[in-house]
């Protein structure tokens, strides 16, 4: 066994039939964004999630963009977006000239806090939302009294959000929900697949996700007409005419039949890959859970997390001075990749002046949080090596303190 091979955070992991399906696409010359692979990949997504209908597209970001368009979002509209997430959750809001209102996290799942969500809705509707923004916000003058257009929760790192409470708030104010389930394929809340609660859901098949198409995503909905419209927009919104005619602005967002072949093979191993990620989490928790100052992101009642990434918090006051950067740098020196938790959107330079409603939970998670190597292809020896080095890091810091 190679003792110092690079251990990646979340590398692609092929299951076996991906190359066969890609070869079939080449053999049939179905290289364009149409073909059997594309149809069967979408069918597999529907069967795995009970989402109703799915359109495979080039990225999860593209899916969010389409979902916001189909939800009627336009310039100056408010979109209530979870702050603790990757920038792809928020960027499509700005593509449309809309105004992101960032919502803080609740401490258990780190996802959208329902109380902060409702506070933000009321502030938007009264015009008090201006108090939650900076004066240099580019849309400061547009922070007037109006009802938000969309609520955009995220199932962070494959940990289901509290959809009961979020949907209750959404229903109370009659605001559509677009779920960012980019990281949550294979996760569920009360037995229902993440991504299937809202008016739209999206998944990502980027190279580091639970399954991959190299780059790709899907937009899903129980409404067949909405997904048909999404497919139309994703293929340049070409009208059904013998010549090229367009009555809507369209986008080149449709997934290729070749990439969908990879996705078909990946969907066949999705349950096993989720089990392996959950196994990784259980291994880390058992091996590291007794170290001082370490806290794991854990499943809440009625949730089933895919544990896309195993995430920990480090409290230096309890850990003897070990913080997330100490561990990250130590692991990197040992050729092991780890990453800080996403930097909240309300801390990002491009978004920092926009409204933020919430407490300091998201800031604390970012300051203390670390993602450990979690790939489904990890062997027991890889997991043991990561654990061994984290323990060694604690010991080294302890010896320095003596």
């Amino acid at each position: 066994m190679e003792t110092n091979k690079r251990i990646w955070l979340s590398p692609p992991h092929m299951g076996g039939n991906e190359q066969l399906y890609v070869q079939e696409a080449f053999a049939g010359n179905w290289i364009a964004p149409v073909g059997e692979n594309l149809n069967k990949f979408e069918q597999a997504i529907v069967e795995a999630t009970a989402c109703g209908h799915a359109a495979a597209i080039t990225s999860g970001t593209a899916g969010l963009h389409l979902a916001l368009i189909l939800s009627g979002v336009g310039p100056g509209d408010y979109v209530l977006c979870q702050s603790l997430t990757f920038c792809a959750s928020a960027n499509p809001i700005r593509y449309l000239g809309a105004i992101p209102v960032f919502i803080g996290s609740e401490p258990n799942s780190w996802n959208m806090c329902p109380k902060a969500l409702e506070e933000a809705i009321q502030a938007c509707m009264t015009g008090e939302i201006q108090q939650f923004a900076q004066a240099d916000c580019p849309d400061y003058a547009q922070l007037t009294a109006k009802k938000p257009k969309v609520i955009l929760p995220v199932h962070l790192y494959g940990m289901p959000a509290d959809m009961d409470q979020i949907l209750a708030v959404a229903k109370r104010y009659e605001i559509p929900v677009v779920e960012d389930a980019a990281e949550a394929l294979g996760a569920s809340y009360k037995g229902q697949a993440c991504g299937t609660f809202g008016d739209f859901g999206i998944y990502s098949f980027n190279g580091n996700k639970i399954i991959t198409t190299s780059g790709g995503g899907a937009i899903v909905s129980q409404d067949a007409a909405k997904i048909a419209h999404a497919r139309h927009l994703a293929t340049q919104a070409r009208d059904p005419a013998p010549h090229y005619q367009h009555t809507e602005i369209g986008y080149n967002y449709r997934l290729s039949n070749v990439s969908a072949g990879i996705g078909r093979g990946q969907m066949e191993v999705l349950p096993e890959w989720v089990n392996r990620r959950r196994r990784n989490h259980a291994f880390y928790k058992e091996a590291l859970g007794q170290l001082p100052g370490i806290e794991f992101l854990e499943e809440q009642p009625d949730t089933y997390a895919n544990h896309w990434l195993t995430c920990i918090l480090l409290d230096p006051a309890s850990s003897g001075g070990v913080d997330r950067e100490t561990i990250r740098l130590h692991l990197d020196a040992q050729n092991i990749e780890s990453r800080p938790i996403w930097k909240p959107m309300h801390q990002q330079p491009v978004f920092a002046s926009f409204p933020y409603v919430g407490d300091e939970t998201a800031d604390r998670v970012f300051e203390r949080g670390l993602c450990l190597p979690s790939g489904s292809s990890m062997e027991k020896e890889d997991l043991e090596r990561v654990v061994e080095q984290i323990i060694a890091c604690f010991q080294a810091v302890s010896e320095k303190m003596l």
Side-chain angles (χ1 to χ4, degrees), residues 12 78 120 161 207 254 263 337 343 345 383-384:
Y78 294 137
R254 200 73 164 105
E337 183 184 24
K343 185 175 184 178
M345 293 301 99
L383 293 165
E384 289 173 342

Side-chain angles (χ1 to χ4, degrees), residues 112-275:
M112 181 178 280
C113 174
K115 291 181 180 179
L117 172 64
E118 186 154 24
E119 182 182 358
I121 292 171
Q122 293 174 351
C124 287
M125 295 178 71
T126 61
E128 295 177 0
I129 195 64
Q130 197 174 66
Q131 301 174 17
F132 295 89
Q134 303 298 317
D136 61 347
C137 175
D139 294 323
Y140 193 79
Q142 297 186 63
L143 298 178
T144 55
K146 52 196 168 188
K147 181 179 174 180
K149 272 294 181 71
V150 165
I151 297 169
L152 204 164
V154 181
H155 302 288
L156 195 70
Y157 298 115
M159 183 62 63
D162 188 345
M163 292 310 299
D164 276 355
Q165 291 198 55
I166 290 171
L167 290 173
V169 173
K171 183 178 180 180
R172 191 151 52 242
Y173 294 93
E174 299 183 324
I175 301 172
V177 172
V178 172
E179 279 178 87
D180 184 343
E183 303 165 2
L185 185 65
S188 60
Y189 177 83
K190 293 188 174 180
Q192 182 174 337
C194 293
T196 67
F197 289 87
D199 298 75
F200 293 98
I202 70 98
Y203 301 113
S204 171
F205 308 118
N206 190 32
N208 63 357
K209 295 301 189 293
I210 286 277
I211 65 165
T212 185
T213 56
S214 177
I219 178 171
V220 304
S221 175
Q222 297 294 338
D223 190 323
K226 288 179 179 178
I227 295 303
H229 197 176
R231 283 199 189 93
H232 175 67
L233 294 178
T235 49
Q236 298 290 18
R238 181 182 174 184
D239 292 339
H243 51 277
Y244 289 93
Q245 176 172 298
H246 309 269
T247 53
E248 291 183 278
I249 297 296
Y251 306 88
N252 188 16
Y253 281 169
R254 200 73 164 105
L255 190 68
S256 84
N257 192 54
V258 176
S259 295
I262 301 174
R264 277 184 68 189
Q266 289 276 278
M267 287 299 294
E268 292 174 355
V269 294
L270 173 62
E272 182 180 352
W273 277 200
V274 170
N275 286 337

Side-chain angles (χ1 to χ4, degrees), residues 369-390:
L370 187 70
C371 302
L372 300 181
S374 303
S376 53
S377 59
M378 291 183 75
E379 302 291 345
K380 185 178 180 182
E381 291 81 4
D382 300 322
L383 293 165
E384 289 173 342
R385 185 173 145 210
V386 175
V387 166
E388 176 184 303
Q389 290 303 325
I390 291 175

Side-chain angles (χ1 to χ4, degrees), residues 231-394:
R231 283 199 189 93
H232 175 67
L233 294 178
T235 49
Q236 298 290 18
R238 181 182 174 184
D239 292 339
H243 51 277
Y244 289 93
Q245 176 172 298
H246 309 269
T247 53
E248 291 183 278
I249 297 296
Y251 306 88
N252 188 16
Y253 281 169
R254 200 73 164 105
L255 190 68
S256 84
N257 192 54
V258 176
S259 295
I262 301 174
R264 277 184 68 189
Q266 289 276 278
M267 287 299 294
E268 292 174 355
V269 294
L270 173 62
E272 182 180 352
W273 277 200
V274 170
N275 286 337
R276 291 189 181 201
R277 302 258 180 173
R278 289 174 59 84
R279 172 209 66 184
N280 295 346
H281 176 85
F283 186 94
Y284 282 133
K285 184 180 177 184
E286 181 177 357
L288 300 172
Q290 301 306 312
L291 289 177
I294 283 189
E295 177 185 344
F296 283 78
L297 175 59
E298 293 284 14
E299 286 175 327
Q300 301 306 301
D302 298 319
T303 67
Y304 181 85
N306 66 15
H307 289 302
W308 171 52
L309 297 181
T310 291
C311 304
I312 59 173
L313 297 182
L314 279 301
D315 180 6
S318 303
S319 65
V322 179
D323 60 22
R324 63 119 152 130
E325 276 300 280
T326 304
I327 292 181
R328 188 186 69 81
L329 293 173
H330 178 90
L331 291 177
D332 188 60
Q334 300 299 318
N335 211 20
I336 299 170
E337 183 184 24
S338 62
R339 293 267 183 94
I341 298 297
W342 303 124
K343 185 175 184 178
M345 293 301 99
H346 72 273
Q347 288 194 31
Q348 297 286 353
V350 70
F351 291 123
S353 62
F354 285 91
Y356 171 70
V357 181
D359 60 18
E360 297 179 352
T361 298
D363 304 278
R364 179 181 63 87
V365 170
F366 167 62
E367 180 184 352
R368 298 181 179 181
L370 187 70
C371 302
L372 300 181
S374 303
S376 53
S377 59
M378 291 183 75
E379 302 291 345
K380 185 178 180 182
E381 291 81 4
D382 300 322
L383 293 165
E384 289 173 342
R385 185 173 145 210
V386 175
V387 166
E388 176 184 303
Q389 290 303 325
I390 291 175
I391 292 173
C393 180
F394 268 79

